[in-house]
Amino acid sequence: MSNYNFNDIEKKWQEYWAKNKTFKANNNTTEPNYYVLDMFPYPSGAGLHVGHPLGYIASDIYARYKRHKGFNVLHPQGYDSFGLPAEQYAIQTGQHPAKTTEVNISRYRNQLDKIGFSFDWSREVRTSNPDYYKWTQWIFIQLFESWYCKTLEKALPISELINIFEEEGNIGVNAKCDKQQAEFSAKQWNDFDDEKKQRILLNYRLAYLAETEVNWCPKLGTVLANDEIVNGVSERGGYPVVRKKMMQWSMRISNYADRLLTDLENLDWSESLKDTQRNWIGKSVGAAIKFKVFLNKKDAQSNYIGATIGVFSTRPDTIFGASFIALAPEHELVQKITTIEQRFEVAKYIEETAKKSERDRMADVKNTTGVFTGAYAEHPFTKEKLPVWIADYVLATYGTGAVMGVPAGDQRDYDFAKKFHLPIKNIFKDIDVSEKAYEEKGNTIIANSDFISGMPHQKASEKVIEALEKLGQGKKKINYRLRDAVFSRQRYWGEPFPVYYKHGLPQMIDLKHLPLVLPKVEKYLPTETGKPPLGRADNWAWDTRHNIVVNKDLIDDITVFPLELNTMPGWAGSSWYFFRYMDPKNTQEFASKEALEYWKNVDLYIGGSEHATGHLLYSRFWTKFLFDRGFVPVNEPFKKLINQGMILGESAFVYYLELEFSNRVILNFALDKKTYEKLILDELEDFDYEIFKEHPCYDEDINFSNLNRLSVNKDNIKKSKNVPIEFVNNSNELDFEKAFQWEPNLKNIHYPLNSNGKYEVFREVEKMSKSKYNVVNPDDICEQYGADTLRMYEMFLGPLEQAKPWSTAGITGVHNFLKKLWRLYHTGENGAFFVNDNPASKESLKTLHKTIKKVTEDIENFSFNTSVSTFMIAVNELTAQKCNSKEVLEPLAVLIAPYAPHIAEELWQKLGYEQSISTVAFPVFNNQYLVEDSKEYPVSFNGKMRFKIELPLSLTKDEIETAVMAHEKTQHYLQGRTPKKVIVVPGKIVNIVG
RNA sequence: GCUCAAGUGGCGGAAUUGGUAGACGCGCUGGAUUCAAAAUCCAGUUCCCUCGGGAGUGUGGGUUCGAUUCCCACCUUGAGUACCA
C-alpha cells in the first residue's frame, strides 16, 4: 500500500537536493548558460505570505526547465537586507537591526526551503553583509571618480577631465553640471588652489555633494527619493513630506536619461513597463528661449536689467500668444528682478508658498496663485514688454523653473491669465478660445503670428527656433523629467559612505581599507542636534596615518578627520547584486572578469512592477555606468523581464457607524450592505432611521461621526494547533460567539440581522499585509496539501502577470490531480508501484506527445496556468487508457518535474533511477504520433457550419479541398450546384462559398 | 486630466496567424460504492425554449464567407503618473 504521502516525499527530496548540491551552477562550462533571477526579498518580520512565492515558483519552473534542456543554469537567491523596517524596530526595541535581520532571514529561508526551489544557495548574497557592501562602497567611489562626457555619451575617469582642464580649461568640455560652472582657461585652472579645484570637480562627478532641495520626511527623519513618495506622503508609513534644502550626495542619473530611454527599445520587457519608465524619464522636445528683463514697460535700453530669463517650451509655435512670463517662487532671479514697489508683496508670497508642504500644494491645484514682480520681459520678436510674475504652478525643479505664459495654448496659463486679468491672444485659426485654452497640436493653423501665420504647428515651431537662433535668443532643446537621484539617507541601517571630510571637502577611502563597517551606536535615533544616527557613534573618525576608524574625540583635522554621517539609500545594494551572484565569494573584485564575461546579463528577471521606476531604473543606470568604465561587459542588466501580478488577500469586515447621542452615550450600529451603499453614495436623506429610533437611547439630535471598520478575517488568528478560528461561514455570516471571544469590542456593536438571524459581513479584496489580518502563510498550505500542490495551484490561479485574489476554493482540484498522477504509477495490488516495459498504445503515445507539445509551448510563453490544465487532461486520459507503460510514464514524470519536482523525483526513483530527475533531458515532441491521426474537419457553407468530415491529418491544403468536394456529405448538400469559392484553412476548417 | 491594461457561465479562467466559444478546475445537481461518513468513480451543468430551435464573449457600429480575436465610437473597472510648460 502506497499513498501519496507528500509530507515525507517533500522532506526527503529537499534534504537530498541540499545534501547533493543538485542545483549548484558552474562558472565554466561548454554548455550554454542561462541566468534566471528573482527580485530578492527584503526579509521583513512578517515572513512570507502566499503572494511572495508566485514569481519564485514561475522562475523556478523556468530554471528547472532550462536545466532539463541542457543549460547550465544560474538561479540564485539572496536578501535585500538593509532597510527601514528593521531600523524602526530597532528604534522601538533597542535591538540591533543586524540581529532582527538575521532572525528574519532564517525564517525566510525556512519558508523558502519548504516550497522546493532549485536555488543555488552557495551563492547567497546579503546587502547588509560587509563582504558585500564593501563593493557597494567601491562602486560609489568609482561614481565619484567619474564624469559624464556628453560628446562621447559615456562616463570617463575624472583624471581625464583633470588632464583636459590642465591643458585646455573647461571651455571645450561638454558635460552636464548641477549648477552653471563658470568658464576657465588652462592657466586659470592651474592657478586655482587645491580646494577650489576640488569644488569645481564636484560639479562634474557622477556622485556629487551639493545643496539640493530634497523631500524631507520629518516623521521618518530622512530624505526620500521621488519614487519613495506616493501621493505626497512617504511610501513607508504614509507620513507627510516637505521640501527642504540640505547638503546631500546625489547621483547624476539625468545624464543617462537619453540612453535609459532609447535602450528600452531592445529589451524584452512588457510594453506597459517600458511605458512607465518612458513616462518617468519624460522626454519632451521643444525650445529654450531667452527673454531680456526690463525694469519697466518703457522701451529704453537703460531699463535693461542685464539679465535674461530662460524658459523651456514644447510649443515655440505659440510664442506670439505669450502675454506674461511666470517664475517659480524658488527661481534664482526673483530677488534680482523684483522692483522696489513690489518687494513687500513678493516677499510675502514666497514666505507663504514655502510654508506649504508638497501635499498642500498638490491639494491646491485648482487654486491659482501668483504675484507680479514689477519687471517686464521683452518678447524676442515683437519687442513687446511682457509682465513677469511669480506663480507656484511653476515648478522650480522642471525645465528652467520659468515658463512663458501662452493662455490660448495652455489651460494653466489660461486660468492664470483669467484670474489676474492678463490678455488672452488667440493665435489659432478658426479656433474659439473664449472659454478655454486649445491644447491640441494636430493640424491647427497658427494665426496672428507674424512670420509663422498660416503654418501648421510643426513647421511653425521649426521656423521660430530658426529665427531665435539667428537672434541668439534660443535654440532647440530636449528636456527630461528625470531628475538626479538623492543618495543620502539620515539613517543607521544602510551602507556607510567610504568618505571622510577634509576641511569640508569629501575624500574617498582607498579600496584597500574597505569595507568601512557600520559603527556601534547606543540608540538608532537622530542625535539631539539633529544629526543622523551615525552622529551617536564614538568610533567614527578616520585616521589618515593608519587608515583606520578611530574615536571621534581624536579629530584634529590634520591627520584625523570626521567621517560621513549619512548612509546610502536602500537602492544602493540592490542596483548591482545581480553581478555579485556571478562570483559571490570574490574578495579581490566585485566579480571576476571571467565570471562577468561568462554569464553576461540576466536572461530572465521576474519580480513585481512596483519597482518599475525605482530599482529597475537605478540598476540600469549603474549597469550602464559600470559598462562605460569597462567594469562589466554589458550595457543592460536584464534582457527579459516579467512582472508577476500580486496575489491579493480577501478581507472580511464589519462596518459600523459611531453615533453620538446628546446624553453623551456612544453607540455603534453595524451596517447592512444596503445602508452602507447609501452611506458611501451620500444618500443619507432617505436613510432608514427606524432601527435606531427603536433604541432607548435614541434622540433627535443624533450626531453621525466617522464610519469605522473592523477586520474579522477568518484566517487571521490561529489557535495553538494551527486551526483557524472560523469567524465567518461561507455565506459570510458572522459567528458572534467566536468573534466576541476574539475581539471583545465587537460586543459593543448593534447588528442588523438578516432573515436567518445572522449578520452578514463585508468582503473586500486588498493587498496582503499583516496589518490587515488577511495574510495566508505558505507553510500552512505546504503542510496541508504539500509544496507541489502549492506550486501548481499558484500557477493554476491565473495568468502570471495578472493580479488575483487568493482563495483556497480550487486547491483541492489541483491536489486531486497530484493524487491521480500518483495513482497512475501505482496500479499494482493494494496500490503498489506498477509500471511495465510493454510498448505503449498508440492512443497513449498520442496523449503524451500532445502534452509534450503543449507544455513546451506553455513554458516558453510563460503561460504556466494552461499547462496545469494540460497535465490534468493527460492524466485523466492515461488513467482511462489504463496506461502502465514506461514508454509514456517516464517522459511524463520529466515533463511534470519543473512544476511538481518532489513527486517527480519520487516517481523517478521508483522507476529505478538513481540520478536526480533534474539531470534528465526534457522529452522531445514527435509529430508522427499526431500526424498519422485523422481529424474532423468542420465544413461550412457561407460561413454557417453544416457538418464535419473525417480526414487524415497529413493531407495538404489542396488534397483537403478535393477530398471535401468529393465527399458524399458535400455532394448531398450541394445537390449539383457549383460553389464560387472553396477556402481551406489547414488543420482547421473548410469553407464553401456559394 | 494624461498614459497603459482589461471586460467571456454562479466563480477562477481556456480559445495558435480571425475558423466548432466556454478547455481545465471550483461550485452545484443526480448516480455508483458504503450500515454511515470520508475518500473515490460516473453522468450533467452558458442562457432561453412551445424540445424544432433561438440568443450569446461590456454597449453600438464597421471589415469579412466567418470576429472573443481586426478597425471606429462609447461605457465600466484596474494600474501608473500628475500643475512636467
Side-chain angles (χ1 to χ4, degrees):
Chain A
M1 187 70 182
S2 164
N3 277 327
Y4 172 41
N5 200 340
F6 49 86
N7 283 329
D8 294 347
I9 292 171
E10 288 173 1
K11 193 159 171 261
K12 169 180 165 188
W13 289 103
Q14 282 160 13
E15 280 165 10
Y16 174 92
W17 295 328
K19 199 178 130 216
N20 292 282
K21 299 189 170 55
T22 310
F23 306 113
K24 199 165 161 32
N26 201 324
N27 256 12
N28 183 13
T29 60
T30 48
E31 300 153 1
N33 63 50
Y34 199 88
Y35 187 177
V36 186
L37 183 65
D38 294 297
M39 289 184 188
F40 62 167
Y42 171 78
S44 84
L48 288 173
H49 62 64
V50 289
H52 290 113
L54 181 74
Y56 305 158
I57 294 168
S59 66
D60 197 58
I61 290 172
Y62 203 74
R64 285 175 180 270
Y65 167 75
K66 278 286 178 185
R67 284 195 199 95
H68 287 298
K69 282 284 185 184
F71 285 82
N72 177 33
V73 174
L74 175 55
H75 186 42
Q77 188 60 288
Y79 304 95
D80 189 11
S81 46
F82 272 134
L84 264 167
E87 176 153 352
Q88 269 171 335
Y89 188 74
I91 291 170
Q92 286 160 21
T93 63
Q95 267 219 52
H96 197 283
K99 219 170 184 176
T100 42
T101 303
E102 186 70 41
V103 171
N104 292 347
I105 284 178
S106 59
R107 167 124 191 254
Y108 263 62
R109 177 63 192 274
N110 207 300
Q111 288 185 297
L112 288 170
D113 281 349
K114 281 190 183 153
I115 306 172
F117 293 120
S118 63
F119 293 130
D120 177 356
W121 283 109
S122 70
R123 292 174 185 254
E124 180 193 308
V125 303
R126 298 177 187 186
T127 54
S128 62
N129 197 327
D131 294 342
Y132 179 86
Y133 69 66
K134 168 181 179 178
W135 297 105
T136 311
Q137 292 172 338
W138 175 82
I139 293 173
F140 172 80
I141 295 171
Q142 301 316 309
L143 282 155
F144 181 80
E145 298 293 355
S146 301
W147 65 291
Y148 198 84
C149 174
K150 290 300 272 181
T151 312
L152 295 175
E153 279 293 349
K154 71 183 282 198
L156 298 170
I158 202 85
S159 56
E160 289 183 23
L161 186 67
I162 297 171
N163 285 342
I164 297 172
F165 286 170
E166 281 168 357
E167 277 157 37
E168 301 159 27
N170 74 340
I171 293 133
V173 172
N174 185 9
K176 230 180 89 184
C177 304
D178 55 305
K179 41 187 158 191
Q180 216 44 48
Q181 176 58 54
E183 290 186 353
F184 52 79
S185 66
K187 185 172 178 331
Q188 280 173 306
W189 170 263
N190 292 322
D191 289 346
F192 291 150
D193 60 27
D194 194 52
E195 194 187 317
K196 175 135 194 189
K197 282 180 182 171
Q198 288 303 319
R199 288 200 193 282
I200 290 170
L201 286 174
L202 266 182
N203 284 342
Y204 290 88
R205 298 180 188 274
L206 285 181
Y208 62 99
L209 196 59
E211 177 137 288
T212 41
E213 187 152 280
V214 295
N215 307 301
W216 173 255
C217 181
K219 196 89 186 185
L220 293 173
T222 190
V223 299
L224 297 169
N226 285 332
D227 63 279
E228 290 168 322
I229 300 163
V230 178
N231 293 329
V233 295
S234 68
E235 190 186 17
R236 263 188 207 288
Y239 304 118
V241 175
V242 294
R243 289 164 300 144
K244 187 178 170 183
K245 278 210 163 180
M246 282 180 82
M247 198 50 122
Q248 299 283 319
W249 282 103
S250 290
M251 289 283 163
R252 233 178 273 280
I253 186 173
S254 59
N255 279 336
Y256 283 87
D258 196 47
R259 281 166 66 188
L260 288 169
L261 188 69
T262 51
D263 289 350
L264 277 174
E265 290 299 318
N266 304 318
L267 295 178
D268 188 3
W269 294 15
S270 75
E271 263 325 294
S272 65
L273 190 82
K274 288 187 188 178
D275 264 325
T276 309
Q277 289 215 344
R278 282 187 197 114
N279 289 339
W280 191 259
I281 296 166
K283 177 178 182 172
S284 32
V285 181
I289 308 169
K290 281 188 207 160
F291 289 85
K292 287 183 182 166
V293 188
F294 285 71
L295 263 181
N296 56 40
K297 264 183 158 167
K298 286 177 209 130
D299 196 13
Q301 204 50 44
S302 59
N303 289 321
Y304 178 45
I305 291 180
T308 58
I309 297 174
V311 304
F312 171 74
S313 173
T314 54
R315 296 293 301 276
D317 54 318
T318 63
I319 190 165
F320 288 95
S323 54
F324 63 94
I325 300 291
L327 305 181
E330 301 87 352
H331 197 281
E332 53 184 14
L333 279 178
V334 168
Q335 296 309 325
K336 190 169 179 186
I337 64 168
T338 303
T339 58
I340 295 158
E341 301 82 58
Q342 293 297 318
R343 216 153 261 178
F344 178 71
E345 287 287 314
V346 168
K348 204 173 94 189
Y349 181 73
I350 290 173
E351 204 191 309
E352 273 167 26
T353 49
K355 256 192 262 169
K356 281 196 219 169
S357 70
E358 192 88 3
R359 197 178 201 191
D360 294 340
R361 220 160 139 172
M362 273 165 66
D364 233 11
V365 167
K366 300 244 155 47
N367 194 7
T368 315
T369 62
V371 64
F372 180 46
T373 60
Y376 290 85
E378 185 188 69
H379 192 290
F381 301 122
T382 65
K383 304 296 173 195
E384 193 191 338
K385 301 292 181 288
L386 308 171
V388 179
W389 285 67
I390 296 169
D392 79 349
Y393 81 86
V394 182
L395 297 175
T397 43
Y398 183 76
T400 58
V403 301
M404 78 177 182
V406 184
D410 185 289
Q411 191 57 44
R412 289 155 304 161
D413 295 348
Y414 190 93
D415 295 341
F416 192 80
K418 269 268 145 115
K419 175 149 182 188
F420 296 105
H421 310 292
L422 296 160
I424 295 167
K425 301 174 200 168
N426 192 352
I427 36 142
F428 302 112
K429 199 185 168 206
D430 302 329
I431 300 283
D432 177 28
V433 292
S434 61
E435 289 298 320
K436 59 174 197 272
Y438 182 76
E439 294 183 318
E440 263 113 284
K441 291 174 188 171
N443 298 319
T444 324
I445 305 296
I446 303 292
N448 306 322
S449 296
D450 195 3
F451 62 93
I452 52 165
S453 292
M455 291 182 192
H457 152 76
Q458 190 59 41
K459 199 175 165 202
S461 294
E462 285 162 21
K463 285 280 169 200
V464 168
I465 292 170
E466 228 170 77
L468 284 169
E469 274 173 359
K470 228 173 256 173
L471 289 172
Q473 277 188 265
K475 58 181 183 211
K476 188 178 169 184
K477 167 118 207 245
I478 294 168
N479 207 38
Y480 296 94
R481 203 189 78 119
L482 184 71
R483 293 169 218 164
D484 283 347
V486 179
F487 200 66
S488 297
R489 295 291 182 276
Q490 293 67 46
R491 288 269 140 196
Y492 175 76
W493 192 228
E495 298 87 349
F497 284 84
V499 172
Y500 64 92
Y501 288 90
K502 202 170 174 177
H503 313 303
L505 281 167
Q507 311 294 323
M508 296 297 131
I509 292 171
D510 199 85
L511 172 66
K512 289 198 286 279
H513 314 300
L514 297 183
L516 180 67
V517 182
L518 265 175
K520 281 205 177 73
V521 293
E522 267 159 45
K523 270 200 213 160
Y524 302 95
L525 283 169
T527 65
E528 281 69 29
T529 51
K531 284 183 179 162
L534 290 193
R536 290 182 181 273
D538 292 331
N539 266 319
W540 202 240
W542 191 251
D543 182 333
T544 52
R545 286 166 307 177
H546 307 102
N547 287 307
I548 47 163
V549 174
V550 293
N551 193 296
K552 65 184 173 193
D553 295 339
L554 299 173
I555 292 172
D556 56 11
D557 279 321
I558 302 162
T559 56
V560 180
F561 299 95
L563 281 160
E564 169 75 54
L565 299 181
N566 287 302
T567 54
M568 298 189 199
W571 56 268
S574 61
S575 293
W576 73 279
Y577 76 108
F578 37 89
F579 290 126
R580 187 63 176 171
Y581 283 133
M582 296 174 183
D583 193 8
K585 304 266 158 63
N586 199 323
T587 55
Q588 300 307 305
E589 295 164 282
F590 70 98
S592 73
K593 282 264 175 307
E594 297 74 43
L596 288 161
E597 193 57 51
Y598 177 76
W599 292 108
K600 295 228 162 58
N601 39 21
V602 177
D603 291 293
L604 173 67
Y605 195 33
I606 296 187
S609 57
E610 65 272 21
H611 297 110
T613 52
H615 163 62
L616 287 174
L617 206 59
Y618 296 131
S619 299
R620 295 182 61 215
F621 161 44
W622 277 29
T623 302
K624 285 180 187 303
F625 164 73
L626 291 170
F627 172 75
D628 285 354
R629 292 292 317 272
F631 297 122
V632 300
V634 292
N635 191 21
E636 283 286 342
F638 317 118
K639 258 198 252 174
K640 182 176 175 66
L641 182 116
I642 291 180
N643 289 126
Q644 93 275 22
M646 208 183 306
I647 290 191
L648 304 163
E650 209 186 20
S651 304
F653 302 105
V654 172
Y655 278 98
Y656 63 96
L657 270 179
E658 209 166 79
L659 302 172
E660 198 183 329
F661 294 86
S662 54
N663 59 4
R664 303 202 48 80
V665 171
I666 293 174
L667 268 173
N668 297 311
F669 283 92
L671 301 177
D672 54 35
K673 302 241 151 114
K674 230 165 141 188
T675 317
Y676 174 76
E677 269 162 32
K678 274 185 186 161
L679 194 77
I680 54 168
L681 292 171
D682 283 325
E683 283 176 9
L684 267 174
E685 292 81 28
D686 46 291
F687 182 79
D688 183 12
Y689 290 93
E690 292 308 311
I691 185 162
F692 303 120
K693 280 184 180 166
E694 285 168 20
H695 200 277
C697 294
Y698 175 77
D699 193 289
E700 289 293 323
D701 308 315
I702 287 177
N703 172 27
F704 283 80
S705 28
N706 283 336
L707 180 66
N708 299 298
R709 88 177 190 177
L710 207 60
S711 286
V712 286
N713 294 329
K714 63 174 175 182
D715 292 325
N716 56 351
I717 299 283
K718 304 284 156 93
K719 275 189 191 163
S720 53
K721 281 175 193 160
N722 265 354
V723 183
I725 296 174
E726 303 274 342
F727 291 111
V728 182
N729 68 11
N730 284 339
S731 317
N732 291 337
E733 290 166 343
L734 191 66
D735 184 323
F736 290 118
E737 208 174 298
K738 286 177 183 165
F740 292 170
Q741 205 180 341
W742 167 65
E743 175 55 76
N745 282 332
L746 284 166
K747 270 190 215 166
N748 304 329
I749 298 174
H750 180 269
Y751 296 90
L753 304 179
N754 64 14
S755 50
N756 296 337
K758 293 277 172 62
Y759 174 72
E760 273 178 55
V761 299
F762 292 77
R763 285 253 181 226
E764 245 166 70
V765 168
E766 50 184 15
K767 265 190 192 175
M768 264 194 200
S769 95
K770 209 179 170 186
S771 61
K772 286 172 180 152
Y773 301 110
N774 59 357
V775 172
V776 183
N777 190 326
D779 296 359
D780 297 344
I781 306 291
C782 285
E783 193 172 316
Q784 204 177 343
Y785 299 100
D788 285 337
T789 301
L790 176 73
R791 291 169 63 105
M792 290 200 103
Y793 183 59
E794 291 221 3
M795 292 300 102
F796 184 69
L797 271 177
L800 182 59
E801 306 204 56
Q802 198 177 299
K804 52 227 154 200
W806 175 263
S807 140
T808 46
I811 201 164
T812 51
V814 174
H815 189 62
N816 278 345
F817 154 73
L818 286 169
K819 285 200 262 185
K820 282 186 207 172
L821 178 76
W822 182 261
R823 276 204 297 276
L824 188 59
Y825 292 78
H826 293 82
T827 51
E829 295 233 345
N830 292 326
F833 180 80
F834 175 69
V835 165
N836 64 30
D837 291 324
N838 303 342
S841 71
K842 205 177 138 192
E843 223 186 349
S844 298
L845 284 167
K846 187 183 156 189
T847 299
L848 173 70
H849 282 270
K850 206 171 65 181
T851 311
I852 295 172
K853 185 166 189 259
K854 186 70 171 49
V855 170
T856 310
E857 281 169 7
D858 283 344
I859 297 179
E860 304 269 8
N861 297 324
F862 298 93
S863 53
F864 301 119
N865 54 327
T866 50
S867 40
V868 178
S869 297
T870 309
F871 284 128
M872 289 177 176
I873 296 168
V875 168
N876 283 341
E877 283 181 9
L878 293 173
T879 306
Q881 292 158 16
K882 298 202 187 327
C883 175
N884 287 323
S885 168
K886 250 189 189 174
E887 194 183 353
V888 167
L889 296 182
E890 274 190 18
L892 185 71
V894 182
L895 212 50
I896 207 158
Y899 291 81
H902 309 88
I903 191 172
E905 288 277 22
E906 184 71 15
L907 294 172
W908 194 245
Q909 194 184 51
K910 289 195 171 204
L911 281 160
Y913 297 95
E914 277 176 20
Q915 279 280 3
S916 160
I917 197 168
S918 63
T919 58
V920 180
F922 207 69
V924 180
F925 167 63
N926 187 339
N927 203 23
Q928 82 174 29
Y929 298 104
L930 303 190
V931 164
E932 284 170 7
D933 229 317
S934 63
K935 183 189 159 77
E936 280 199 323
Y937 284 81
V939 179
S940 76
F941 289 89
N942 292 342
K944 205 86 191 164
M945 213 56 65
R946 295 293 170 181
F947 48 80
K948 293 166 187 175
I949 296 174
E950 181 116 357
L951 295 171
L953 245 176
S954 51
L955 292 188
T956 67
K957 210 170 154 177
D958 290 343
E959 284 166 350
I960 292 169
E961 189 186 323
T962 316
V964 168
M965 290 313 287
H967 202 277
E968 56 174 322
K969 276 187 187 171
T970 316
Q971 287 306 313
H972 177 255
Y973 184 85
L974 284 174
Q975 293 171 345
R977 288 171 295 184
T978 320
K980 274 187 200 156
K981 200 160 75 170
V982 181
I983 302 157
V984 177
V985 182
K988 293 269 167 154
I989 196 168
V990 182
N991 281 289
I992 299 175
V993 185

